[in-house]
Structure formats: C-alpha cells, structure tokens
Amino acid sequence: MNTPAGRGWDKVEYWTSWFLLAVLGSVILTRLGFATVWSVPAPDLLLGSIALLLILASPWIARRRRALRIGIVAYATATQLVPMSIRHPAVLLPLLGALIPVAIMIWALFALSRKGRTGRGTGQS
C-alpha cells in the first residue's frame, strides 16, 4: 500500500471522513439544540447524544483507525436517517433520490484517489 495511488486514496479518505464527521456533528448539535424548542422523541435524543459524543471523541479514538472513523460516520448517519424514515415512510422516496448525488460523490472520490497515477486519467504519459 506504499504506492502513490494507495497514499492518494488514504489522503482522500482521511480528509473526507473528517469533513463528514464535522458536518454530522453540526447537524446533530443543531438538532439537539432545537430539542428545547420542539419535542424530540426520547430515543432520538439518546441516539443523537451518543453519536455526538462519539464524534467529539473521534479525534482521540479514531485518529489512526479508518474502520472506526467510517463506523462513527455510519452510526451518526443512521441515528439521523433511520428514526425519521421509520416514523415517516414517505421520506424514503426523497432519500432514494439523494442516492444520485451520493453516487456522484463516491465516483469523484474514486477519481481523486486515482489522480496522480501516470498514464491513466491525468492527461500525462
């Protein structure tokens, strides 16, 4: 995994996962902040609080472990999407539509990870 392409993917994954953690943290913090204004179900408060604690602790517990970072991102995302889609199944259609930009983002990340390889996709030989 010491090839330039391997290190490139590691760098893309590293910064993307930290950016996702920052965005999820701000979303969950905002949602928990509005719990004083609107009623938020108790399971949502509990799951959101655990996710926020994991996100805040991630610089220490997931600094060098990719699987932990991705696991925290997946858990925090699930705490926001699953309860909402269980309570309101009509939200599933827009969520399926949101898969299109997610697929584009994954493609872009893959393309960024390959950037720098000579001869393929960079315009250089």
Side-chain angles (χ1 to χ4, degrees):
M1 210 56 177
N2 289 335
T3 64
R7 283 182 287 179
W9 171 249
D10 289 343
K11 196 173 188 180
V12 168
E13 180 276 326
Y14 180 82
W15 288 108
T16 302
S17 62
W18 286 114
F19 178 75
L20 283 172
L21 284 169
V23 169
L24 283 168
S26 65
V27 166
I28 293 171
L29 188 63
T30 303
R31 188 167 182 219
L32 291 176
F34 280 121
T36 59
V37 179
W38 294 296
S39 64
V40 176
D44 288 5
L45 282 174
L46 178 66
L47 293 173
S49 299
I50 293 170
L52 186 61
L53 288 175
L54 283 173
I55 288 171
L56 292 175
S58 64
W60 294 280
I61 62 175
R63 179 180 19 198
R64 296 213 166 106
R65 304 231 8 228
R66 175 185 303 172
L68 280 175
R69 277 195 310 271
I70 292 173
I72 292 171
V73 167
Y75 176 76
T77 303
T79 61
Q80 301 303 301
L81 294 177
V82 172
M84 177 180 56
S85 59
I86 288 173
R87 280 189 205 93
H88 307 287
V91 181
L92 287 174
L93 190 59
L95 285 176
L96 289 174
L99 285 177
I100 295 168
V102 169
I104 292 170
M105 182 188 70
I106 290 170
W107 172 80
L109 288 173
F110 182 72
L112 280 173
S113 73
R114 296 178 59 92
K115 185 178 180 186
R117 281 189 184 179
T118 57
R120 279 198 266 175
T122 61
Q124 301 172 357
S125 297

